[in-house]
Structures are given as structure tokens and as C-alpha cells.
Amino acid sequence: MAAIGYKTGNTDKFAQQMKVGLMSKEFSDVKFVVGDQKKIIYGHRIIIGLRCPLMQKLFQESASKPEVPIILSDLSPDTFQQMLEFMYTNTVQINQNTAVELLGTAIEYGLQDLQAVVCEFVVENLDVEFAATAMHAAVYFEVAHLERLCLNFISKHAQTFFKNKCYLEMGEQAFLKVMDCDDLDVDEVEINQAIFEWGKNGALKSGTPIKLIVARVVLTLRIAIFDVEELERVERFSESEGDFIPPEMFQFAWKFHAQIKNSRSVPVEGKRWASLRKGTKPLEHHKHLNAYIS
């Protein structure tokens, strides 16, 4: 029986040649009008349609009028060009500034291979500043594995992450998931400060009271793990800033301290507020926590 085999030619050369075809109007049979700038970009239906089922559908819908341009007003020309480059060459140039928009576009157009490539780039290039943007994108676009990897990175670098202040621009849902994480390698004092600064930033931009901005996020604060002195300071600070920490959280914390003072460990609601994190600095009263929340 004759041997059968498949061999791959020079993929780099192929990609270069296909990119030349992409950049050329010659032999193109479709015209796109892209973005607010209404930039004209030419393409080839057979290549784009085979690579992108959504585009194939658009082509089928416009088959009776092939000379009419396809309007893509919701895309930036640069991102669309990146998407086409990947369709033609199976390669794409990405940087931290373009990754998020390209990820969203890949998801919107059902380009799973491009989505995987962008996610791989994001993970390989995570740093403290980029992690906030990447985490926000992962939550917004519901990319679970990317969210998990971003959260792992943030947890390990929590001290630098919060000092960097890039978290100030994170959306509520992404910031909430970060602040609810048990693995944050930072003390609760810094977490309380981060919640306040995030809320203050949102309040200044929106004109909304800080207590409303942080209403969901502040519930992740482990209020009962503060010692008495720190708890008094945090309560005074919260009162001076419009009670951004709800009074019932302080009531819970003071009840906990009263119970351990009287050698009692009666479980109450709000166990999460008495749970330690990876980076929590040990304090004397922490030895009572396990019995208290059991």
C-alpha cells in the first residue's frame, strides 16, 4: 500500500503573501465601510466567509447586491484590520492597548481561534497595570478561564496591584470579584482603603454618594478581623465619609469582640465578615475566629 502523508510548507511565507493580498484592492470583491471614520477596507468573500460564519451570513444576505458596501459602524478600522489579518494569515499583531477591543470583536464575530490567541497574549503579558484592564474584560465578556487566571495574578501581586491604583477604573462586577477573593495576599487595612478609593473615584465622576457606589463591594470587607483599635479608626473614618461602610457591619464586628471578651463564641450571621484572607496579618483575636464562625 502506498504511503500517504501530509506536509506543511513555509507558513511564514504563506502568511506574508496572504497579508499582501489583504492589503491590496486587486481581485477584491467586497467593500466594507468601517467605524465612525467610514474607512473603506476591501476584502475577498471566499476567504472571509469561510473563516467567519457571521460574515458568511452577511454576504448571503447581500448576495443580490454585491456592489453595495457592508457597513460596520460599531467597529474601529484598526480592530477590523486586525481581525481580517487573522482570517487571512492565522496570525495577528497584538499589544496591551488593542487586546481588549480585539477580544470583544473576536467574541462578537464568533472567531474562537482569535479569541484563544488574544487570551493567550493577555495571560503571557499580564503585569500589575494591565491586570485590572484584563480582569475587567474577562468579567465583561464572560471569559471564565481568563477571569480565573487574572484573579490568580492579582491575588499573588495584591500589594503592588492596590498601590498601582489602576483598579480605580475597574467596573463594579470585576472589582467585586477581586475584593471577594480569599487568596488576596494583602492585609485587610489595604483592602478597606482600596474600596474607599475606588468608591471615591466613582463618586467624583458620577456625583453619586460614595455609600451607593460601594454598596455591594463593601460587603466583601472582612470587618470583624480588625482589632479594636483599628475598628474604632475605621468606624470614625467611615462616618466622616458618609457612612460608606454600613452600620450593621460595625454592629457585627463589635458583637464579635464583645463575645470573645466574655469568652463566648456564639455563631451569628455574617460569617464572611469574620473570615481571614491569605495576606491577613495575624492578630491575637484571630484565634477565636474558627470557633466563632463554625
Side-chain angles (χ1 to χ4, degrees):
M1 182 177 178
I4 300 175
Y6 293 94
K7 302 293 290 182
T8 301
N10 189 322
T11 55
D12 290 340
K13 185 176 181 181
F14 172 79
Q16 290 170 4
Q17 291 172 336
M18 291 297 290
K19 191 170 183 178
V20 170
L22 168 62
M23 301 301 292
S24 173
K25 181 182 175 182
E26 189 176 10
F27 304 124
S28 64
D29 57 0
V30 62
K31 181 167 72 174
F32 299 95
V33 181
V34 187
D36 295 335
Q37 307 94 318
K38 295 182 170 54
K39 182 175 180 179
I40 304 299
I41 296 176
Y42 295 94
H44 307 81
R45 292 173 184 266
I46 184 63
I47 297 173
I48 298 172
L50 287 174
R51 294 283 276 163
C52 179
L54 184 58
M55 283 292 185
Q56 186 179 74
K57 185 177 180 181
L58 286 176
F59 295 156
Q60 290 170 344
E61 291 173 350
S62 62
S64 61
K65 297 181 179 179
E67 72 284 355
V68 176
I70 293 176
I71 310 298
L72 300 174
S73 56
D74 61 335
L75 274 179
S76 76
D78 289 344
T79 301
F80 184 63
Q81 199 75 47
Q82 282 181 293
M83 185 174 77
L84 288 183
E85 180 182 343
F86 186 79
M87 290 183 191
Y88 278 64
T89 70
N90 215 40
T91 63
V92 64
Q93 187 177 65
I94 314 171
N95 60 53
Q96 290 181 337
N97 295 324
T98 63
V100 170
E101 187 173 356
L102 186 59
L103 175 61
T105 301
I107 293 170
E108 180 181 356
Y109 283 83
L111 299 172
Q112 294 182 355
D113 288 349
L114 179 57
Q115 178 183 334
V117 167
V118 177
C119 286
E120 183 179 355
F121 170 86
V122 169
V123 172
E124 290 175 351
N125 291 275
L126 277 177
D127 55 36
V128 171
E129 185 172 347
F130 188 42
T133 302
M135 180 66 183
H136 174 82
V139 173
Y140 183 81
F141 294 124
E142 299 181 343
V143 185
H145 75 283
L146 181 59
E147 176 186 321
R148 183 180 66 255
L149 292 171
C150 288
L151 189 55
N152 288 343
F153 179 91
I154 291 170
S155 297
K156 292 177 183 177
H157 302 86
Q159 291 189 18
T160 311
F161 178 79
F162 289 123
K163 286 179 182 177
N164 186 271
K165 308 296 184 186
C166 287
Y167 65 87
L168 294 178
E169 302 303 323
M170 292 180 74
E172 181 191 43
Q173 192 59 29
F175 190 59
L176 177 63
K177 291 195 174 193
V178 171
M179 304 314 278
D180 196 40
C181 180
D182 290 333
D183 293 328
L184 289 176
D185 195 7
V186 66
D187 191 55
E188 207 67 19
V189 173
E190 282 76 28
I191 289 175
N192 179 51
Q193 185 64 27
I195 291 173
F196 168 73
E197 291 181 358
W198 178 84
K200 194 74 171 180
N201 183 64
L204 289 172
K205 287 186 172 183
S206 66
T208 304
I210 185 173
K211 66 186 296 182
L212 298 181
I213 297 289
V214 303
R216 293 177 64 212
V217 176
V218 77
L219 298 178
T220 64
L221 185 65
R222 315 296 168 83
I223 192 81
I225 71 176
F226 292 131
D227 61 20
V228 171
E229 182 179 347
E230 184 64 27
L231 188 58
E232 289 176 342
R233 187 195 70 78
V234 170
E235 188 169 27
R236 287 195 303 270
F237 182 71
S238 177
E239 289 171 351
S240 71
E241 294 291 344
D243 288 318
F244 73 94
I245 301 176
E248 57 266 29
M249 292 182 67
F250 288 109
Q251 292 168 9
F252 171 89
W254 287 121
K255 184 175 182 179
F256 166 66
H257 282 285
Q259 286 174 324
I260 62 173
K261 184 177 181 180
N262 295 300
S263 300
R264 297 170 60 197
S265 16
V266 181
V268 297
E269 294 182 358
K271 295 178 181 180
R272 195 72 171 151
W273 296 339
S275 301
L276 302 179
R277 302 182 198 258
K278 182 178 180 180
T280 303
K281 294 178 182 177
L283 298 171
E284 178 64 23
H285 75 282
H286 289 170
K287 65 185 179 183
H288 301 280
L289 289 174
N290 288 338
Y292 181 71
I293 66 174
S294 62

